C-alpha cells in the first residue's frame, strides 16, 4: 500500500504537479500579496512635513442623475483637510434639474464649488468623455482628481493621500474605489461578485505596483491636466463610449510617470443601489475595452487560471495512476492542500485590505469556476459589442 513504482507516467505527473504548485505559490500569490502589502505600506507612510509644497487641485465629479448621493459626497470632498487651494467641479451629464438644485444649495456654503453640464442634444459620441473633457477644460489647476457622483469619501485625508504622490516627474496617480451596497439592498451572488471585483483589482493594481501600469479606476484617479491635453485627450478612442480610464491610462502611463496610492485614507466607496446590474454593466464594459489594452497582465492571470486547473487535474491523475500505492495520493493531496491554504489566507488578507468581503473557504471554488464565469461574459459581450460604440 505504501510502496511506489516510479513509472514514467507517475514521474511526469509528479513533475507537472510540482511545477504548477510552485507557479501558484511563488507567482500568483506574489501579485495577490503585493496589493495588501502596498495598502499596509501606504497606510503607514507619514504625510509630508509642514514645508511640503502641496499642488493646487481641481476635483472633477462626473454626475449622471446622482443628486441624492451628491448631498453626501460633495461636503465630504469640500471639507477635506487639504492645505492648498482646491476646487470641485461637478459635470452634470444631461443637466438634470435635481442635481442643479443640490449644487445651488451647496454653492451658498462653499465658494470653491462649480458646475458645468453636457448638452442634452449631444449625440453620436461618448457623453462621459465629452463631460470629462468639459470638466478638465474648466479646471483652473494642473492636477485634476477624478471621481463620480455615486461615490462616497470616508476620510478627510483622501485628497492629501492622493496628491502627496505628485512629485516632479509623476503625472498619474492610480487609486482604488471599493463597491459598497447600502443597507436593505438585496445583493445576489455577492460573494462571487466580490471575488471577481478583487481579482480584477489585483490584476491592474499589482501590475502597476510592479512598474507596469496599464489602466485606472474612474472613481479614484488623478493626472495632470497638461498630460491630458498633450495627449489630445480622448481623441484616439472617440468611437468608443467607454475607456475614459483604462484606455486613456493605457496610452499615457509609463513606469516613470505613474504612482499608486492605496492607503486606507485614499480608498473611497462606490455606492451601488443595484449591485447585480452595476457589476454586470461594469464587467461587460471592461471586458470589451480590456481586449484593446497593451498589457501582458491578462495573459499572465489567464495562465494562472489554467495552471490552477492543471494542478487539480494532475493531482487527480497522479493519485489514480499511483494506485494501489497511497503515496502518490497523499503527496497530491498535500500539495493541493498547501496551495489552497496559502492562497486562501493571502486572498482574504488582500480582500480585507481592499474593503471587500472576506472569502476563505469558498476561494478554491470561485478560483475554479472563474474562467467559465469570464467566458460567459465574453460571449454576452460579443453579442452586445455594438453597445460599446458611439454610432450604435
Amino acid at each position: 500500500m505504501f510502496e511506489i513504482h516510479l513509472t514514467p507516467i507517475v514521474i511526469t505527473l509528479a513533475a507537472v504537479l510540482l511545477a504548477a504548485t510552485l507557479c501558484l505559490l511563488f507567482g500568483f500569490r506574489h501579485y495577490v500579496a503585493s496589493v495588501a502589502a502596498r495598502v499596509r505600506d501606504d497606510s503607514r507612510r507619514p504625510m509630508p512635513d509642514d514645508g511640503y509644497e502641496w499642488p493646487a487641485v481641481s476635483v472633477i465629479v462626473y454626475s449622471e442623475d446622482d443628486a441624492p448621493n451628491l448631498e453626501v459626497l460633495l461636503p465630504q470632498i469640500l471639507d477635506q483637510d487639504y492645505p492648498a487651494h482646491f476646487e470641485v467641479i461637478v459635470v452634470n451629464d444631461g443637466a438634470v434639474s435635481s442635481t442643479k438644485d443640490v449644487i445651488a444649495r451647496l454653492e451658498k456654503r462653499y465658494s470653491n464649488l462649480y458646475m458645468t453640464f453636457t448638452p442634452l442634444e449631444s449625440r453620436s459620441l461618448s457623453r462621459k468623455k465629452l463631460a470629462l473633457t468639459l470638466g478638465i477644460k474648466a479646471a483652473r489647476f494642473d492636477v485634476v482628481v477624478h471621481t463620480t457622483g455615486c461615490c462616497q469619501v470616508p476620510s478627510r485625508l483622501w485628497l492629501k493621500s492622493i496628491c502627496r504622490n505628485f512629485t516632479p516627474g509623476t503625472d498619474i496617480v492610480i487609486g482604488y474605489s471599493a463597491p459598497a451596497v447600502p443597507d436593505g439592498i438585496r445583493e445576489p451572488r455577492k460573494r462571487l461578485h466580490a471575488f471577481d471585483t478583487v481579482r480584477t483589482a489585483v490584476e491592474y493594481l499589482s501590475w502597476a505596483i510592479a512598474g507596469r501600469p496599464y489602466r485606472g479606476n474612474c472613481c479614484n484617479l488623478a493626472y495632470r491636466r497638461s498630460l491630458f491635453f498633450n495627449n489630445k485627450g480622448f481623441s484616439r478612442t472617440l468611437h468608443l463610449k467607454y475607456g475614459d480610464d483604462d484606455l486613456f491610462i493605457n496610452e499615457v502611463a509609463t513606469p516613470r510617470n505613474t504612482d499608486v496610492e492605496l492607503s486606507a485614507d485614499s480608498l473611497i466607496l462606490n455606492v451601488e443601489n443595484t449591485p447585480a446590474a452595476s457589476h454586470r454593466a461594469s464587467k461587460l464594459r471592461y471586458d470589451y475595452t480590456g481586449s484593446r489594452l497593451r498589457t501582458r497582465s491578462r495573459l499572465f492571470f489567464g495562465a494562472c487560471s489554467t495552471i490552477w486547473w492543471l494542478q487539480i487535474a494532475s493531482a487527480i491523475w497522479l493519485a489514480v495512476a499511483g494506485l494501489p500505492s497511497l503515496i502518490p495520493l497523499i503527496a497530491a493531496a498535500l500539495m493541493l492542500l498547501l496551495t489552497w491554504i496559502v492562497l486562501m489566507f493571502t486572498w482574504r488578507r488582500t480582500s480585507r485590505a481592499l474593503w471587500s468581503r472576506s472569502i476563505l473557504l469558498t476561494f478554491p471554488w470561485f478560483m475554479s469556476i472563474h474562467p467559465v464565469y469570464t467566458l460567459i461574459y465574453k460571449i454576452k459581450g460579443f453579442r452586445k459589442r455594438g453597445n460599446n460604440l458611439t454610432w450604435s
Side-chain angles (χ1 to χ4, degrees), residues 4-21 309-323 328-329 331-332 335:
I4 183 171
H5 300 286
L6 296 177
T7 62
I9 187 66
V10 169
I11 294 175
T12 301
L13 290 171
V16 171
L17 177 59
L18 179 61
T21 301
W309 273 103
L310 182 63
Q311 185 198 43
I312 295 174
S314 60
I316 294 173
W317 196 354
L318 177 61
V320 173
L323 294 175
L329 172 63
M335 284 195 188

Side-chain angles (χ1 to χ4, degrees), residues 77-123:
I77 298 176
L78 291 158
D79 290 332
Q80 286 286 301
D81 179 13
Y82 193 70
H85 293 293
F86 75 95
E87 63 180 358
V88 178
I89 302 172
V90 178
V91 185
N92 187 0
D93 187 3
V96 180
S97 58
S98 58
T99 301
K100 293 196 291 185
D101 293 340
V102 172
I103 303 301
R105 287 196 297 271
L106 291 175
E107 281 179 333
K108 297 176 182 179
R109 293 168 50 192
Y110 302 100
S111 60
N112 56 339
L113 174 62
Y114 308 96
M115 186 186 73
T116 185
F117 64 92
T118 307
L120 281 171
E121 60 272 13
S122 299
R123 296 291 184 270

Side-chain angles (χ1 to χ4, degrees), residues 155-170:
S155 173
R156 293 185 70 243
L157 298 178
W158 167 65
L159 209 51
K160 263 188 175 181
S161 300
I162 295 294
C163 294
R164 66 179 173 178
N165 298 282
F166 278 102
T167 54
T170 301

Side-chain angles (χ1 to χ4, degrees), residues 45-65:
R45 181 158 58 111
M47 287 291 177
D49 56 30
D50 294 338
Y52 183 75
E53 187 175 349
W54 294 90
V57 178
S58 296
V59 181
I60 298 176
V61 181
Y62 171 77
S63 174
E64 188 179 15
D65 198 14

Side-chain angles (χ1 to χ4, degrees), residues 108-380:
K108 297 176 182 179
R109 293 168 50 192
Y110 302 100
S111 60
N112 56 339
L113 174 62
Y114 308 96
M115 186 186 73
T116 185
F117 64 92
T118 307
L120 281 171
E121 60 272 13
S122 299
R123 296 291 184 270
S124 300
L125 46 77
S126 169
R127 292 186 59 83
K128 186 175 181 182
K129 289 176 184 174
L130 174 61
L132 293 179
T133 301
L134 293 174
I136 295 171
K137 283 185 175 181
R140 290 189 298 156
F141 306 123
D142 189 45
V143 172
V144 290
V145 180
H146 293 274
T147 189
T148 61
C150 60
C151 291
Q152 292 185 8
V153 182
S155 173
R156 293 185 70 243
L157 298 178
W158 167 65
L159 209 51
K160 263 188 175 181
S161 300
I162 295 294
C163 294
R164 66 179 173 178
N165 298 282
F166 278 102
T167 54
T170 301
D171 296 326
I172 304 168
V173 177
I174 298 173
Y176 180 69
S177 69
V181 179
D183 294 337
I185 300 294
R186 184 173 175 271
E187 187 182 5
R189 298 188 296 275
K190 54 187 176 182
R191 293 190 179 277
L192 176 58
H193 289 172
F195 174 85
D196 182 65
T197 299
V198 172
R199 179 173 174 119
T200 301
V202 165
E203 287 187 20
Y204 76 87
L205 290 176
S206 66
W207 227 243
I209 291 168
R212 297 184 290 271
Y214 70 93
R215 62 168 283 194
N217 186 315
C218 62
C219 296
N220 199 1
L221 178 66
Y223 47 79
R224 294 190 187 275
R225 186 173 182 267
S226 55
L227 177 72
F228 179 81
F229 288 114
N230 289 340
N231 189 64
K232 298 182 180 179
F234 304 119
S235 60
R236 295 179 180 85
T237 58
L238 288 178
H239 62 294
L240 300 174
K241 287 184 181 179
Y242 312 111
D244 52 278
D245 48 5
D246 51 355
L247 289 177
F248 176 71
I249 295 301
N250 192 246
E251 291 175 4
V252 299
T254 68
R256 294 184 178 181
N257 75 351
T258 305
D259 207 343
V260 181
E261 177 61 50
L262 293 180
S263 63
D265 286 322
S266 73
L267 302 185
I268 65 178
L269 297 173
N270 184 4
V271 181
E272 298 178 342
N273 292 317
T274 55
S278 297
H279 182 83
R280 180 170 60 253
S282 176
K283 189 164 181 65
L284 287 172
R285 181 172 69 246
Y286 281 121
D287 277 354
Y288 185 85
T289 57
S291 63
R292 300 165 182 268
L293 299 177
R294 293 179 290 103
T295 178
R296 295 183 180 179
S297 171
R298 294 165 68 91
L299 179 63
F300 172 80
F301 285 97
C304 288
S305 294
T306 303
I307 292 171
W308 175 272
W309 273 103
L310 182 63
Q311 185 198 43
I312 295 174
S314 60
I316 294 173
W317 196 354
L318 177 61
V320 173
L323 294 175
S325 174
L326 295 181
I327 293 179
L329 172 63
I330 295 172
L334 287 176
M335 284 195 188
L336 280 181
L337 193 61
L338 173 64
T339 304
W340 290 6
I341 290 175
V342 171
L343 292 182
M344 282 162 54
F345 282 96
T346 302
W347 193 270
R348 185 172 71 166
R349 190 178 305 114
T350 299
S351 296
R352 287 178 172 177
L354 295 179
W355 295 355
S356 183
R357 292 181 180 275
S358 293
I359 294 176
L360 187 64
L361 297 179
T362 52
F363 169 78
W365 168 247
F366 289 143
M367 188 72 179
S368 300
I369 68 170
H370 192 261
V372 179
Y373 178 71
T374 301
L375 178 61
I376 292 172
Y377 269 93
K378 286 186 179 298
I379 295 173
K380 290 181 179 178

